[in-house]
Amino acid sequence: GRVAVEVKARRGGATPYVEISSEHQLDGGGTEALFLHVAELDQTPSDSAGAFTLTMIADRISARIRQTDQTAADELDTLLVAAGFRWEDDYSDAAWLRGPDREYLVGAGFPRITPESFPAGVSMVRYSVSLVQCEPFRVSKAAVAVRLKGNRHGN
């Protein structure tokens, strides 16, 4: 479909900002809708209830994709390696707990930088977005799911 979701993770206790690594990340050009999903994560002892590690998440996602599309699972493995992940490494020293998630509809008035917002020749812009300023654009998880399901079925 033509719905995109930019996902960012942040520590729950950190200042309420997310880091945007380029002027293209929140550029909704070519999409019918662009959402920003912010997941809060906090480091925790590995024996905490609900704790997970990077390997656990990679394994869960890989297994789920592998059930339906081996080619996509192979592509995921390639992308994980390109990002520096190695199945043989031990990531158990960093366990995490997931906090609340937030979803925002990125559109007119949303605090962002896009390639059109500054002169030609300026690029590779890194910046922070205040989540407080994003609150007027907050939407429910259900609203995002409806848009994603609608586009998957050609609606």
mmCIF file of all heavy atoms in Angstrom, residues 22-24 112-127:
data_model
loop_
_atom_site.group_PDB
_atom_site.id
_atom_site.type_symbol
_atom_site.label_atom_id
_atom_site.label_comp_id
_atom_site.label_asym_id
_atom_site.label_seq_id
_atom_site.Cartn_x
_atom_site.Cartn_y
_atom_site.Cartn_z
ATOM 1 N N SER A 22 17.488 11.946 9.055
ATOM 2 C CA SER A 22 17.622 12.594 7.751
ATOM 3 C C SER A 22 16.362 13.375 7.425
ATOM 4 O O SER A 22 15.300 13.161 8.021
ATOM 5 C CB SER A 22 17.899 11.577 6.638
ATOM 6 O OG SER A 22 16.702 11.038 6.124
ATOM 7 N N GLU A 23 16.498 14.259 6.447
ATOM 8 C CA GLU A 23 15.354 15.060 6.012
ATOM 9 C C GLU A 23 14.318 14.218 5.279
ATOM 10 O O GLU A 23 13.206 14.674 5.030
ATOM 11 C CB GLU A 23 15.832 16.218 5.131
ATOM 12 C CG GLU A 23 16.458 15.809 3.817
ATOM 13 C CD GLU A 23 17.944 15.459 3.886
ATOM 14 O OE1 GLU A 23 18.480 15.211 4.983
ATOM 15 O OE2 GLU A 23 18.563 15.426 2.813
ATOM 16 N N HIS A 24 14.643 12.974 4.978
ATOM 17 C CA HIS A 24 13.723 12.100 4.243
ATOM 18 C C HIS A 24 12.851 11.243 5.160
ATOM 19 O O HIS A 24 11.814 10.747 4.717
ATOM 20 C CB HIS A 24 14.505 11.194 3.288
ATOM 21 C CG HIS A 24 15.281 11.964 2.274
ATOM 22 N ND1 HIS A 24 14.695 12.563 1.190
ATOM 23 C CD2 HIS A 24 16.601 12.257 2.208
ATOM 24 C CE1 HIS A 24 15.611 13.184 0.477
ATOM 25 N NE2 HIS A 24 16.787 13.020 1.087
ATOM 26 N N ARG A 112 8.573 18.913 11.544
ATOM 27 C CA ARG A 112 9.514 18.088 10.790
ATOM 28 C C ARG A 112 10.268 18.926 9.766
ATOM 29 O O ARG A 112 9.869 20.032 9.424
ATOM 30 C CB ARG A 112 8.782 16.967 10.061
ATOM 31 C CG ARG A 112 7.806 17.505 9.019
ATOM 32 C CD ARG A 112 7.017 16.422 8.367
ATOM 33 N NE ARG A 112 5.924 16.966 7.587
ATOM 34 C CZ ARG A 112 5.374 16.356 6.587
ATOM 35 N NH1 ARG A 112 5.799 15.156 6.233
ATOM 36 N NH2 ARG A 112 4.377 16.894 5.927
ATOM 37 N N ILE A 113 11.345 18.356 9.289
ATOM 38 C CA ILE A 113 12.121 18.935 8.202
ATOM 39 C C ILE A 113 11.998 17.973 7.020
ATOM 40 O O ILE A 113 12.144 16.760 7.179
ATOM 41 C CB ILE A 113 13.602 19.097 8.599
ATOM 42 C CG1 ILE A 113 13.736 20.139 9.705
ATOM 43 C CG2 ILE A 113 14.449 19.479 7.394
ATOM 44 C CD1 ILE A 113 15.140 20.262 10.268
ATOM 45 N N THR A 114 11.710 18.521 5.848
ATOM 46 C CA THR A 114 11.649 17.722 4.623
ATOM 47 C C THR A 114 12.579 18.367 3.595
ATOM 48 O O THR A 114 12.969 19.529 3.755
ATOM 49 C CB THR A 114 10.211 17.665 4.066
ATOM 50 O OG1 THR A 114 9.800 18.985 3.712
ATOM 51 C CG2 THR A 114 9.242 17.059 5.078
ATOM 52 N N PRO A 115 12.922 17.644 2.541
ATOM 53 C CA PRO A 115 13.828 18.228 1.540
ATOM 54 C C PRO A 115 13.311 19.550 0.960
ATOM 55 O O PRO A 115 14.101 20.414 0.603
ATOM 56 C CB PRO A 115 13.894 17.148 0.456
ATOM 57 C CG PRO A 115 13.634 15.882 1.192
ATOM 58 C CD PRO A 115 12.626 16.248 2.252
ATOM 59 N N GLU A 116 12.003 19.728 0.903
ATOM 60 C CA GLU A 116 11.432 20.958 0.357
ATOM 61 C C GLU A 116 11.502 22.140 1.323
ATOM 62 O O GLU A 116 11.244 23.276 0.938
ATOM 63 C CB GLU A 116 9.968 20.748 -0.033
ATOM 64 C CG GLU A 116 9.752 19.739 -1.138
ATOM 65 C CD GLU A 116 9.850 18.296 -0.644
ATOM 66 O OE1 GLU A 116 9.455 18.015 0.500
ATOM 67 O OE2 GLU A 116 10.348 17.452 -1.408
ATOM 68 N N SER A 117 11.842 21.897 2.575
ATOM 69 C CA SER A 117 11.780 22.965 3.572
ATOM 70 C C SER A 117 13.066 23.789 3.689
ATOM 71 O O SER A 117 13.125 24.689 4.517
ATOM 72 C CB SER A 117 11.393 22.384 4.937
ATOM 73 O OG SER A 117 12.361 21.476 5.398
ATOM 74 N N PHE A 118 14.065 23.514 2.868
ATOM 75 C CA PHE A 118 15.289 24.318 2.887
ATOM 76 C C PHE A 118 15.930 24.338 1.504
ATOM 77 O O PHE A 118 15.556 23.552 0.630
ATOM 78 C CB PHE A 118 16.272 23.845 3.958
ATOM 79 C CG PHE A 118 16.487 22.360 3.997
ATOM 80 C CD1 PHE A 118 17.366 21.734 3.116
ATOM 81 C CD2 PHE A 118 15.813 21.586 4.910
ATOM 82 C CE1 PHE A 118 17.565 20.378 3.157
ATOM 83 C CE2 PHE A 118 16.002 20.213 4.950
ATOM 84 C CZ PHE A 118 16.869 19.610 4.084
ATOM 85 N N PRO A 119 16.879 25.218 1.279
ATOM 86 C CA PRO A 119 17.454 25.396 -0.058
ATOM 87 C C PRO A 119 18.171 24.149 -0.585
ATOM 88 O O PRO A 119 18.679 23.340 0.194
ATOM 89 C CB PRO A 119 18.465 26.531 0.113
ATOM 90 C CG PRO A 119 18.185 27.150 1.429
ATOM 91 C CD PRO A 119 17.457 26.135 2.255
ATOM 92 N N ALA A 120 18.211 24.034 -1.911
ATOM 93 C CA ALA A 120 18.956 22.955 -2.555
ATOM 94 C C ALA A 120 20.410 22.999 -2.102
ATOM 95 O O ALA A 120 20.966 24.066 -1.884
ATOM 96 C CB ALA A 120 18.864 23.095 -4.071
ATOM 97 N N GLY A 121 20.998 21.837 -1.981
ATOM 98 C CA GLY A 121 22.391 21.757 -1.551
ATOM 99 C C GLY A 121 22.536 21.412 -0.081
ATOM 100 O O GLY A 121 23.604 20.991 0.347
ATOM 101 N N VAL A 122 21.487 21.595 0.691
ATOM 102 C CA VAL A 122 21.519 21.217 2.106
ATOM 103 C C VAL A 122 20.986 19.791 2.195
ATOM 104 O O VAL A 122 19.913 19.488 1.676
ATOM 105 C CB VAL A 122 20.661 22.167 2.963
ATOM 106 C CG1 VAL A 122 20.635 21.704 4.411
ATOM 107 C CG2 VAL A 122 21.169 23.593 2.857
ATOM 108 N N SER A 123 21.741 18.915 2.846
ATOM 109 C CA SER A 123 21.284 17.528 2.966
ATOM 110 C C SER A 123 21.913 16.878 4.185
ATOM 111 O O SER A 123 22.720 17.477 4.882
ATOM 112 C CB SER A 123 21.626 16.743 1.701
ATOM 113 O OG SER A 123 23.021 16.673 1.536
ATOM 114 N N MET A 124 21.530 15.632 4.423
ATOM 115 C CA MET A 124 22.001 14.831 5.560
ATOM 116 C C MET A 124 21.755 15.563 6.877
ATOM 117 O O MET A 124 22.627 15.656 7.738
ATOM 118 C CB MET A 124 23.466 14.444 5.375
ATOM 119 C CG MET A 124 23.667 13.612 4.118
ATOM 120 S SD MET A 124 25.283 12.860 3.895
ATOM 121 C CE MET A 124 26.423 14.165 4.187
ATOM 122 N N VAL A 125 20.549 16.054 7.022
ATOM 123 C CA VAL A 125 20.151 16.814 8.201
ATOM 124 C C VAL A 125 19.750 15.853 9.318
ATOM 125 O O VAL A 125 18.986 14.925 9.095
ATOM 126 C CB VAL A 125 18.964 17.745 7.854
ATOM 127 C CG1 VAL A 125 18.462 18.475 9.072
ATOM 128 C CG2 VAL A 125 19.367 18.719 6.760
ATOM 129 N N ARG A 126 20.267 16.059 10.509
ATOM 130 C CA ARG A 126 19.869 15.303 11.700
ATOM 131 C C ARG A 126 19.229 16.292 12.659
ATOM 132 O O ARG A 126 19.733 17.388 12.845
ATOM 133 C CB ARG A 126 21.080 14.651 12.357
ATOM 134 C CG ARG A 126 21.740 13.591 11.507
ATOM 135 C CD ARG A 126 22.947 12.986 12.219
ATOM 136 N NE ARG A 126 22.601 12.378 13.484
ATOM 137 C CZ ARG A 126 22.216 11.108 13.637
ATOM 138 N NH1 ARG A 126 22.140 10.324 12.603
ATOM 139 N NH2 ARG A 126 21.918 10.630 14.827
ATOM 140 N N TYR A 127 18.101 15.876 13.266
ATOM 141 C CA TYR A 127 17.430 16.787 14.181
ATOM 142 C C TYR A 127 16.579 16.002 15.178
ATOM 143 O O TYR A 127 16.415 14.791 15.048
ATOM 144 C CB TYR A 127 16.585 17.800 13.405
ATOM 145 C CG TYR A 127 15.455 17.205 12.579
ATOM 146 C CD1 TYR A 127 14.142 17.254 13.041
ATOM 147 C CD2 TYR A 127 15.694 16.632 11.340
ATOM 148 C CE1 TYR A 127 13.109 16.722 12.284
ATOM 149 C CE2 TYR A 127 14.665 16.117 10.580
ATOM 150 C CZ TYR A 127 13.371 16.153 11.050
ATOM 151 O OH TYR A 127 12.349 15.639 10.312
#
